[in-house]
Amino acid sequence: PAASAARNRAAQGRDTIELPFFDDFSAPSGEIDRSLWTPRGASLSTTMPDRPPSTGAILLDALDSLGNFYQNARYGSPTPADTIESAPINLLYPGSKSIYLSFYMQSGGLGGPPEECASLALDFYSPTERKWDRIKSYPGGKAQPFKQEIIQISENKYLQKGFKMRFRNYISRGSQLAPDLVSN
């Protein structure tokens, strides 16, 4: 998948995406735009979100790309599962030292609520440090309506050409007394 996103960017004659970066996940194809994103297990859904702000949403659940429950998931222990990572983005703009990331998210949707120890993580990639940093984590535990998040990006290590963001969910199989048989 990462190679195909790189090929798409190369075909467009660019190695990074320029602002504005926008995706409302309502592609007529029903597929994630691989020139913007590299999905790992994540899928586009129009049926699982509950009253979404657009016609589609990215579904991060406990099923891998083949529809199987992640085999590395353990009882009561959060395990990384589905991930969606942006293509490299140019955030190196003279004069501006503040850029905002705005997105909507929902816990549960029309599926079952996530486990208490499940979560959604937002990470930023610093091209200068060549590493990912956890920016925010959203706990599971109950289904919620969509809410908007606005995150300020102001640190120089992110305001560079090659910045990336990723969303990753952490899943759990619940307890050994009440194992989950659903996709979280």
Side-chain angles (χ1 to χ4, degrees), residues 51-67:
R51 295 183 296 257
S54 179
T55 59
I58 292 297
L59 178 63
L60 301 173
D61 60 16
L63 303 178
D64 65 19
S65 59
L66 300 175

Side-chain angles (χ1 to χ4, degrees), residues 8 15 42 82 95 98 112 127 140 154 157 161:
N8 286 343
D15 61 348
D82 290 351
S98 184
S154 58
K157 68 181 182 175
K161 187 175 182 178

Side-chain angles (χ1 to χ4, degrees), residues 48 60-61 107-115 141-144 180 182-184:
M48 291 301 291
L60 301 173
D61 60 16
S107 178
L110 296 175
E115 292 294 318
K142 63 180 181 175
Q144 298 177 0
D180 269 339
V182 297
S183 66
N184 158 308

